[in-house]
Amino acid sequence: TKEVLFKNADLAMYKAKELGKNRYVFFDQAMDEAVRNKMMLEQDLREAVEKGEFRLWYQPLIEGDSGKIKGFEALIRWNKGSRTVMPGDFIKAAEETGLIGPIGDFVFRSACAFAAGLSRRGYADLAVTVNLSVVQLMRSDFSEWIAANIKAAGVEPFCIGLEITESVLMDSLEANVEKLEAVRRLGVKIYLDDFGTGYSSLRYLRQLPVDVIKIDKSFTDDIGSVGDDKELAGSIIALIHQAGLRAVAEGVENEHQMKKKKK
């Protein structure tokens, strides 16, 4: 029918726009299926927010030399029925629909409450870090929002860390730097996440409002394999330390990787 033809043409047009300018795309059935799946995901996300189906898991940050736990990273999971949905499968959709707002509020409030609980039990030296989305950083009241949640939880600002990726930081760099400097003045620590996969320039590390550099797990994954990256990872860690910053190696999951990172 005419209505179906127009709908299919619209899908092809939007797909062409998604892929870039100066191109054309022919409609196929996969496009229709992708749109249906996206709509279902968005509806499920809205219901998940209403029903409170999200949970936080806390991954420990362990000091390489002593083996002591130095803090935790808050990681969101979606308990969808009998299965657990990982953030990579829903965060983009949450950002596109605006649902990252309430989801981000939940994550940050929960992480602050967890940090406050650690402090009450005598572990005030353990920081809890939270991943920031670009939508959250774009808030005009970003520093006020951070400060209000920390105060409401009754936790000290130095017990909270904010993780931001290079790509998010470099987008509107000047405005983002100003916002991050404002929360650093509160006492909150800033972590640069996924270092080594984006704009990575060791030259500008001293100029950025960050306290800790998190080396991407792709460097850790290859330790012990044919393309062993231990020397490269070690060099990056040494340069980070020379810049006066702390380094965190992501994805260390066994004793062999831990030993190689120490060297």
Side-chain angles (χ1 to χ4, degrees):
T1 65
K2 180 175 67 175
E3 289 76 15
V4 172
L5 285 174
F6 277 124
K7 185 197 74 171
N8 293 348
D10 278 342
L11 290 177
M13 178 188 68
Y14 288 124
K15 185 64 177 180
K17 287 183 177 180
E18 181 182 322
L19 294 174
K21 298 180 179 180
N22 300 321
R23 70 176 66 234
Y24 59 87
V25 171
F26 291 104
F27 170 81
D28 61 40
Q29 199 59 41
M31 291 182 193
D32 188 51
E33 184 177 350
V35 170
R36 291 178 184 275
N37 290 339
K38 183 178 180 181
M39 291 176 63
M40 289 179 61
L41 175 59
E42 291 176 359
Q43 180 59 38
D44 288 347
L45 271 176
R46 295 184 191 280
E47 293 181 3
V49 171
E50 294 174 359
K51 296 178 180 179
E53 294 179 348
F54 298 102
R55 297 290 182 271
L56 292 190
W57 292 8
Y58 293 93
Q59 178 174 279
L61 302 176
I62 300 175
E63 188 174 55
D65 294 331
S66 66
K68 293 181 179 179
I69 294 178
K70 304 299 290 184
F72 297 91
E73 178 182 357
L75 302 172
I76 190 171
R77 300 290 185 266
W78 177 8
N79 291 345
K80 186 180 181 183
S82 60
R83 67 189 184 95
T84 299
V85 184
M86 304 300 281
D89 295 326
F90 66 86
I91 289 297
K92 182 178 179 180
E95 291 179 339
E96 292 175 349
T97 58
L99 291 172
I100 195 65
I103 293 174
D105 284 346
F106 159 76
V107 171
F108 194 60
R109 285 198 308 268
S110 300
C112 288
F114 181 74
L118 289 174
S119 295
R120 286 194 297 270
R121 291 192 292 271
Y123 300 104
D125 58 329
L126 299 181
V128 178
T129 68
V130 180
N131 291 280
L132 287 179
S133 76
V134 63
V135 176
Q136 290 170 305
L137 191 58
M138 286 173 59
R139 294 178 63 129
S140 59
D141 64 341
F142 177 72
S143 60
E144 292 82 3
W145 173 69
I146 295 292
N149 279 282
I150 288 175
K151 183 178 180 180
V155 65
E156 294 295 334
F158 62 79
C159 294
I160 300 297
L162 302 178
E163 298 194 17
I164 182 171
T165 63
E166 289 181 89
S167 57
V168 170
L169 176 60
M170 297 303 291
D171 185 22
S172 302
L173 179 61
E174 186 175 339
N176 290 338
V177 165
E178 184 177 341
K179 291 180 178 180
L180 294 177
E181 285 178 340
V183 296
R184 281 185 86 201
R185 288 194 291 270
L186 297 174
V188 175
K189 295 290 188 295
I190 305 298
Y191 291 61
L192 185 63
D193 201 8
D194 296 340
F195 184 78
T197 62
Y199 298 88
S200 308
S201 171
L202 294 170
R203 183 180 61 183
Y204 68 64
L205 285 186
R206 290 181 181 272
Q207 304 169 18
L208 296 179
V210 298
D211 304 283
V212 183
I213 305 295
K214 296 189 70 176
I215 302 170
D216 187 73
K217 70 185 299 293
S218 60
F219 292 99
T220 305
D221 290 341
D222 287 338
I223 289 180
S225 66
V226 176
D228 198 329
D229 275 339
K230 65 179 183 295
E231 298 299 334
L232 177 58
S235 298
I236 293 174
I237 291 173
L239 288 169
I240 291 171
H241 287 166
Q242 288 177 16
L245 301 170
R246 291 168 54 202
V248 171
E250 294 184 300
V252 177
E253 298 177 348
N254 55 59
E255 189 66 23
H256 176 73
Q257 291 173 324
M258 176 69 80
K259 290 179 179 178
K260 293 294 186 182
K261 284 291 185 180
K262 289 180 181 179
K263 294 180 179 179

